[in-house]
Short mmCIF file of all heavy atoms in Angstrom, two decimals:
data_model
loop_
_atom_site.label_atom_id
_atom_site.label_comp_id
_atom_site.label_asym_id
_atom_site.label_seq_id
_atom_site.Cartn_x
_atom_site.Cartn_y
_atom_site.Cartn_z
N SER A 1 0.80 -1.22 0.00
CA SER A 1 0.00 0.00 0.00
C SER A 1 0.84 1.28 0.00
O SER A 1 0.33 2.36 -0.31
CB SER A 1 -0.94 0.02 1.20
OG SER A 1 -0.20 -0.03 2.40
N VAL A 2 2.14 1.16 0.34
CA VAL A 2 2.98 2.36 0.41
C VAL A 2 4.13 2.34 -0.59
O VAL A 2 4.86 3.34 -0.70
CB VAL A 2 3.53 2.58 1.84
CG1 VAL A 2 2.39 2.58 2.86
CG2 VAL A 2 4.59 1.55 2.20
N LYS A 3 4.29 1.24 -1.30
CA LYS A 3 5.39 1.16 -2.27
C LYS A 3 5.30 2.29 -3.28
O LYS A 3 4.25 2.58 -3.82
CB LYS A 3 5.34 -0.19 -2.99
CG LYS A 3 6.08 -1.30 -2.30
CD LYS A 3 6.08 -2.57 -3.14
CE LYS A 3 6.75 -3.70 -2.42
NZ LYS A 3 6.69 -4.97 -3.20
N GLY A 4 6.45 2.89 -3.55
CA GLY A 4 6.50 3.99 -4.51
C GLY A 4 6.15 5.33 -3.90
O GLY A 4 6.38 6.37 -4.54
N ARG A 5 5.62 5.34 -2.68
CA ARG A 5 5.25 6.60 -2.02
C ARG A 5 6.10 6.88 -0.79
O ARG A 5 6.41 8.02 -0.49
CB ARG A 5 3.78 6.57 -1.62
CG ARG A 5 2.81 6.40 -2.77
CD ARG A 5 1.36 6.58 -2.32
NE ARG A 5 0.94 5.61 -1.33
CZ ARG A 5 0.44 5.94 -0.12
NH1 ARG A 5 0.34 7.21 0.23
NH2 ARG A 5 0.06 4.99 0.72
N PHE A 6 6.46 5.83 -0.06
CA PHE A 6 7.22 5.95 1.18
C PHE A 6 8.64 5.44 0.97
O PHE A 6 8.86 4.49 0.21
CB PHE A 6 6.58 5.14 2.31
CG PHE A 6 5.26 5.64 2.80
CD1 PHE A 6 4.55 6.64 2.14
CD2 PHE A 6 4.71 5.12 3.96
CE1 PHE A 6 3.33 7.10 2.60
CE2 PHE A 6 3.48 5.56 4.45
CZ PHE A 6 2.79 6.54 3.76
N THR A 7 9.58 6.05 1.68
CA THR A 7 10.97 5.61 1.64
C THR A 7 11.53 5.56 3.05
O THR A 7 11.45 6.55 3.79
CB THR A 7 11.83 6.55 0.79
OG1 THR A 7 11.30 6.65 -0.53
CG2 THR A 7 13.27 6.03 0.72
N ILE A 8 12.07 4.40 3.42
CA ILE A 8 12.71 4.26 4.72
C ILE A 8 14.22 4.35 4.54
O ILE A 8 14.77 3.85 3.55
CB ILE A 8 12.30 2.93 5.41
CG1 ILE A 8 12.77 2.90 6.86
CG2 ILE A 8 12.80 1.72 4.63
CD1 ILE A 8 12.19 1.74 7.67
N SER A 9 14.87 5.00 5.48
CA SER A 9 16.33 5.12 5.42
C SER A 9 16.87 5.22 6.84
O SER A 9 16.11 5.48 7.78
CB SER A 9 16.74 6.34 4.60
OG SER A 9 16.23 7.53 5.17
N ARG A 10 18.18 5.01 6.96
CA ARG A 10 18.78 5.09 8.29
C ARG A 10 20.12 5.79 8.22
O ARG A 10 20.83 5.68 7.22
CB ARG A 10 18.93 3.70 8.91
CG ARG A 10 19.87 2.75 8.19
CD ARG A 10 19.75 1.33 8.75
NE ARG A 10 20.10 1.29 10.17
CZ ARG A 10 19.72 0.31 11.00
NH1 ARG A 10 18.98 -0.69 10.56
NH2 ARG A 10 20.09 0.34 12.25
N GLU A 11 20.42 6.53 9.26
CA GLU A 11 21.73 7.15 9.42
C GLU A 11 22.25 6.71 10.78
O GLU A 11 21.92 7.29 11.81
CB GLU A 11 21.63 8.67 9.38
CG GLU A 11 21.36 9.25 8.00
CD GLU A 11 21.54 10.77 7.98
OE1 GLU A 11 22.68 11.24 8.19
OE2 GLU A 11 20.55 11.47 7.76
N ASN A 12 23.06 5.66 10.77
CA ASN A 12 23.53 5.10 12.04
C ASN A 12 24.35 6.11 12.85
O ASN A 12 24.28 6.12 14.07
CB ASN A 12 24.34 3.84 11.79
CG ASN A 12 23.47 2.68 11.32
OD1 ASN A 12 22.27 2.64 11.59
ND2 ASN A 12 24.08 1.74 10.62
N ALA A 13 25.09 6.96 12.15
CA ALA A 13 25.89 7.96 12.86
C ALA A 13 25.00 8.92 13.65
O ALA A 13 25.41 9.45 14.68
CB ALA A 13 26.77 8.72 11.88
N LYS A 14 23.79 9.14 13.16
CA LYS A 14 22.84 10.02 13.84
C LYS A 14 21.83 9.22 14.66
O LYS A 14 20.87 9.79 15.18
CB LYS A 14 22.11 10.90 12.83
CG LYS A 14 23.00 11.90 12.11
CD LYS A 14 22.17 12.81 11.21
CE LYS A 14 23.05 13.86 10.54
NZ LYS A 14 22.26 14.76 9.67
N ILE A 15 22.07 7.90 14.75
CA ILE A 15 21.18 6.99 15.49
C ILE A 15 19.71 7.25 15.15
O ILE A 15 18.84 7.22 16.03
CB ILE A 15 21.41 7.04 17.01
CG1 ILE A 15 21.29 8.44 17.57
CG2 ILE A 15 22.77 6.46 17.35
CD1 ILE A 15 21.35 8.46 19.11
N THR A 16 19.43 7.48 13.87
CA THR A 16 18.09 7.85 13.44
C THR A 16 17.67 7.03 12.23
O THR A 16 18.48 6.76 11.34
CB THR A 16 18.04 9.35 13.08
OG1 THR A 16 18.46 10.12 14.21
CG2 THR A 16 16.64 9.78 12.70
N VAL A 17 16.39 6.67 12.23
CA VAL A 17 15.76 6.04 11.07
C VAL A 17 14.63 6.96 10.62
O VAL A 17 13.88 7.49 11.44
CB VAL A 17 15.23 4.65 11.41
CG1 VAL A 17 14.43 4.07 10.25
CG2 VAL A 17 16.38 3.72 11.77
N TYR A 18 14.52 7.15 9.31
CA TYR A 18 13.55 8.07 8.75
C TYR A 18 12.49 7.33 7.95
O TYR A 18 12.74 6.25 7.40
CB TYR A 18 14.25 9.07 7.83
CG TYR A 18 15.35 9.85 8.47
CD1 TYR A 18 16.68 9.44 8.33
CD2 TYR A 18 15.10 10.99 9.23
CE1 TYR A 18 17.72 10.15 8.91
CE2 TYR A 18 16.13 11.70 9.82
CZ TYR A 18 17.43 11.28 9.66
OH TYR A 18 18.45 11.97 10.25
N LEU A 19 11.32 7.94 7.85
CA LEU A 19 10.29 7.47 6.94
C LEU A 19 9.78 8.69 6.18
O LEU A 19 9.06 9.52 6.75
CB LEU A 19 9.15 6.77 7.67
CG LEU A 19 8.08 6.16 6.77
CD1 LEU A 19 8.67 4.97 5.99
CD2 LEU A 19 6.87 5.71 7.57
N GLN A 20 10.19 8.80 4.92
CA GLN A 20 9.71 9.87 4.06
C GLN A 20 8.41 9.41 3.41
O GLN A 20 8.40 8.39 2.72
CB GLN A 20 10.75 10.21 3.00
CG GLN A 20 10.31 11.28 2.01
CD GLN A 20 10.09 12.63 2.67
OE1 GLN A 20 10.85 13.04 3.54
NE2 GLN A 20 9.03 13.33 2.26
N MET A 21 7.35 10.18 3.62
CA MET A 21 6.03 9.80 3.13
C MET A 21 5.55 10.85 2.14
O MET A 21 5.36 12.02 2.51
CB MET A 21 5.05 9.68 4.29
CG MET A 21 5.52 8.73 5.39
SD MET A 21 4.28 8.45 6.67
CE MET A 21 4.09 10.09 7.34
N ASN A 22 5.38 10.44 0.89
CA ASN A 22 4.91 11.34 -0.16
C ASN A 22 3.55 10.87 -0.68
O ASN A 22 3.15 9.73 -0.45
CB ASN A 22 5.92 11.37 -1.32
CG ASN A 22 7.27 11.90 -0.89
OD1 ASN A 22 7.39 12.76 -0.02
ND2 ASN A 22 8.32 11.37 -1.51
N SER A 23 2.87 11.76 -1.39
CA SER A 23 1.57 11.43 -1.99
C SER A 23 0.65 10.78 -0.97
O SER A 23 0.06 9.72 -1.21
CB SER A 23 1.76 10.49 -3.20
OG SER A 23 2.58 11.09 -4.17
N LEU A 24 0.51 11.40 0.17
CA LEU A 24 -0.27 10.82 1.27
C LEU A 24 -1.75 10.75 0.92
O LEU A 24 -2.30 11.64 0.25
CB LEU A 24 -0.05 11.62 2.54
CG LEU A 24 1.29 11.33 3.23
CD1 LEU A 24 1.66 12.45 4.19
CD2 LEU A 24 1.23 10.00 3.96
N HIS A 25 -2.38 9.67 1.39
CA HIS A 25 -3.80 9.44 1.21
C HIS A 25 -4.50 9.53 2.56
O HIS A 25 -3.88 9.25 3.60
CB HIS A 25 -4.04 8.04 0.64
CG HIS A 25 -3.33 7.76 -0.64
ND1 HIS A 25 -3.04 6.47 -1.05
CD2 HIS A 25 -2.84 8.58 -1.61
CE1 HIS A 25 -2.41 6.51 -2.21
NE2 HIS A 25 -2.28 7.78 -2.58
N PRO A 26 -5.79 9.84 2.58
CA PRO A 26 -6.52 9.83 3.87
C PRO A 26 -6.41 8.50 4.60
O PRO A 26 -6.37 8.48 5.83
CB PRO A 26 -7.96 10.13 3.44
CG PRO A 26 -7.81 10.95 2.21
CD PRO A 26 -6.61 10.38 1.49
N GLU A 27 -6.33 7.40 3.86
CA GLU A 27 -6.22 6.09 4.52
C GLU A 27 -4.85 5.85 5.15
O GLU A 27 -4.66 4.84 5.83
CB GLU A 27 -6.55 4.97 3.53
CG GLU A 27 -5.80 5.02 2.24
CD GLU A 27 -6.56 5.74 1.14
OE1 GLU A 27 -7.27 6.72 1.44
OE2 GLU A 27 -6.42 5.32 -0.03
N ASP A 28 -3.90 6.77 4.96
CA ASP A 28 -2.61 6.68 5.66
C ASP A 28 -2.72 7.23 7.08
O ASP A 28 -1.76 7.14 7.85
CB ASP A 28 -1.53 7.45 4.91
CG ASP A 28 -1.20 6.84 3.55
OD1 ASP A 28 -1.07 5.60 3.49
OD2 ASP A 28 -1.07 7.61 2.58
N THR A 29 -3.86 7.80 7.42
CA THR A 29 -4.06 8.35 8.77
C THR A 29 -3.95 7.25 9.81
O THR A 29 -4.63 6.22 9.72
CB THR A 29 -5.44 9.03 8.85
OG1 THR A 29 -5.46 10.16 7.98
CG2 THR A 29 -5.73 9.47 10.28
N ALA A 30 -3.07 7.46 10.78
CA ALA A 30 -2.84 6.46 11.83
C ALA A 30 -1.80 7.01 12.80
O ALA A 30 -1.17 8.05 12.55
CB ALA A 30 -2.32 5.15 11.22
N ILE A 31 -1.60 6.28 13.88
CA ILE A 31 -0.43 6.50 14.73
C ILE A 31 0.69 5.63 14.17
O ILE A 31 0.49 4.42 13.96
CB ILE A 31 -0.71 6.15 16.20
CG1 ILE A 31 -1.83 7.02 16.75
CG2 ILE A 31 0.56 6.34 17.03
CD1 ILE A 31 -2.27 6.65 18.15
N TYR A 32 1.83 6.24 13.94
CA TYR A 32 2.99 5.53 13.37
C TYR A 32 3.99 5.24 14.48
O TYR A 32 4.37 6.12 15.25
CB TYR A 32 3.63 6.38 12.28
CG TYR A 32 2.85 6.34 10.99
CD1 TYR A 32 1.61 6.96 10.88
CD2 TYR A 32 3.34 5.68 9.87
CE1 TYR A 32 0.86 6.91 9.72
CE2 TYR A 32 2.62 5.63 8.69
CZ TYR A 32 1.38 6.23 8.62
OH TYR A 32 0.65 6.19 7.45
N TYR A 33 4.39 3.97 14.54
CA TYR A 33 5.31 3.50 15.57
C TYR A 33 6.60 3.02 14.93
O TYR A 33 6.60 2.35 13.89
CB TYR A 33 4.71 2.34 16.35
CG TYR A 33 3.45 2.67 17.11
CD1 TYR A 33 2.20 2.52 16.53
CD2 TYR A 33 3.52 3.14 18.42
CE1 TYR A 33 1.03 2.81 17.22
CE2 TYR A 33 2.36 3.45 19.13
CZ TYR A 33 1.12 3.28 18.52
OH TYR A 33 -0.02 3.58 19.22
N CYS A 34 7.69 3.33 15.60
CA CYS A 34 9.00 2.81 15.24
C CYS A 34 9.28 1.60 16.14
O CYS A 34 9.06 1.68 17.35
CB CYS A 34 10.03 3.91 15.45
SG CYS A 34 11.73 3.44 15.24
N GLU A 35 9.72 0.50 15.55
CA GLU A 35 10.01 -0.70 16.32
C GLU A 35 11.39 -1.22 15.94
O GLU A 35 11.86 -1.00 14.81
CB GLU A 35 8.94 -1.76 16.07
CG GLU A 35 7.54 -1.28 16.41
CD GLU A 35 6.51 -2.38 16.35
OE1 GLU A 35 6.87 -3.55 16.15
OE2 GLU A 35 5.31 -2.07 16.53
N SER A 36 12.03 -1.93 16.86
CA SER A 36 13.38 -2.40 16.58
C SER A 36 13.62 -3.78 17.19
O SER A 36 12.88 -4.24 18.07
CB SER A 36 14.42 -1.42 17.13
OG SER A 36 14.43 -1.42 18.54
N ARG A 37 14.65 -4.41 16.67
CA ARG A 37 15.07 -5.70 17.21
C ARG A 37 16.57 -5.86 16.96
O ARG A 37 17.05 -5.63 15.85
CB ARG A 37 14.31 -6.85 16.57
CG ARG A 37 14.84 -8.21 17.02
CD ARG A 37 14.00 -9.32 16.53
NE ARG A 37 14.67 -10.60 16.75
CZ ARG A 37 14.08 -11.77 16.61
NH1 ARG A 37 12.82 -11.84 16.25
NH2 ARG A 37 14.76 -12.88 16.82
N ASP A 38 17.27 -6.27 18.01
CA ASP A 38 18.69 -6.57 17.92
C ASP A 38 18.87 -7.87 17.15
O ASP A 38 18.31 -8.90 17.54
CB ASP A 38 19.26 -6.69 19.34
CG ASP A 38 20.77 -6.78 19.35
OD1 ASP A 38 21.39 -6.89 18.28
OD2 ASP A 38 21.34 -6.73 20.46
N LEU A 39 19.63 -7.82 16.06
CA LEU A 39 19.81 -9.00 15.22
C LEU A 39 21.28 -9.17 14.86
O LEU A 39 21.97 -8.17 14.64
CB LEU A 39 19.02 -8.86 13.91
CG LEU A 39 17.54 -9.17 13.89
CD1 LEU A 39 16.99 -8.96 12.51
CD2 LEU A 39 17.29 -10.60 14.35
N ASN A 40 21.72 -10.42 14.75
CA ASN A 40 23.05 -10.67 14.23
C ASN A 40 23.08 -10.51 12.72
O ASN A 40 24.04 -10.00 12.16
CB ASN A 40 23.54 -12.06 14.61
CG ASN A 40 23.88 -12.17 16.08
OD1 ASN A 40 24.35 -11.20 16.68
ND2 ASN A 40 23.65 -13.32 16.67
N SER A 41 22.01 -10.97 12.05
CA SER A 41 21.99 -10.94 10.59
C SER A 41 21.91 -9.50 10.11
O SER A 41 21.04 -8.75 10.53
CB SER A 41 20.80 -11.71 10.06
OG SER A 41 20.62 -11.43 8.68
N PRO A 42 22.78 -9.11 9.18
CA PRO A 42 22.72 -7.73 8.68
C PRO A 42 21.67 -7.51 7.60
O PRO A 42 21.39 -6.37 7.24
CB PRO A 42 24.12 -7.50 8.11
CG PRO A 42 24.58 -8.86 7.72
CD PRO A 42 23.95 -9.82 8.69
N PHE A 43 21.06 -8.60 7.10
CA PHE A 43 20.16 -8.46 5.94
C PHE A 43 18.70 -8.78 6.26
O PHE A 43 17.82 -8.49 5.48
CB PHE A 43 20.62 -9.39 4.82
CG PHE A 43 22.01 -9.13 4.35
CD1 PHE A 43 23.05 -9.98 4.69
CD2 PHE A 43 22.30 -8.02 3.58
CE1 PHE A 43 24.34 -9.75 4.26
CE2 PHE A 43 23.59 -7.78 3.14
CZ PHE A 43 24.61 -8.64 3.48
N THR A 44 18.44 -9.36 7.42
CA THR A 44 17.09 -9.83 7.73
C THR A 44 16.14 -8.69 8.00
O THR A 44 16.48 -7.72 8.69
CB THR A 44 17.12 -10.75 8.97
OG1 THR A 44 17.94 -11.88 8.67
CG2 THR A 44 15.72 -11.22 9.33
N VAL A 45 14.92 -8.82 7.41
CA VAL A 45 13.84 -7.85 7.65
C VAL A 45 12.60 -8.63 8.04
O VAL A 45 12.25 -9.61 7.39
CB VAL A 45 13.56 -7.02 6.38
CG1 VAL A 45 12.37 -6.10 6.62
CG2 VAL A 45 14.79 -6.21 5.98
#
């Protein structure tokens, strides 16, 4: 539902993860939560 409109990125030096949201729709209305998990694998999502 967000492909092509949203972009996630991270800047580890700034300890920050971003979510750029473009072309927003009314159905995007929500509370947005950031979640994390400590992982050994560098590629797992």
Side-chain angles (χ1 to χ4, degrees):
S1 60
V2 307
K3 272 185 183 177
R5 300 188 299 123
F6 291 10
T7 303
I8 190 170
S9 60
R10 64 190 299 159
E11 287 191 65
N12 290 336
K14 294 185 177 180
I15 55 173
T16 303
V17 173
Y18 304 97
L19 184 68
Q20 177 65 40
M21 306 186 297
N22 298 327
S23 301
L24 283 161
H25 304 157
E27 52 265 36
D28 294 316
T29 295
I31 299 174
Y32 283 70
Y33 297 91
C34 174
E35 302 188 6
S36 69
R37 174 173 169 169
D38 189 352
L39 279 180
N40 288 326
S41 167
F43 301 105
T44 299
V45 176

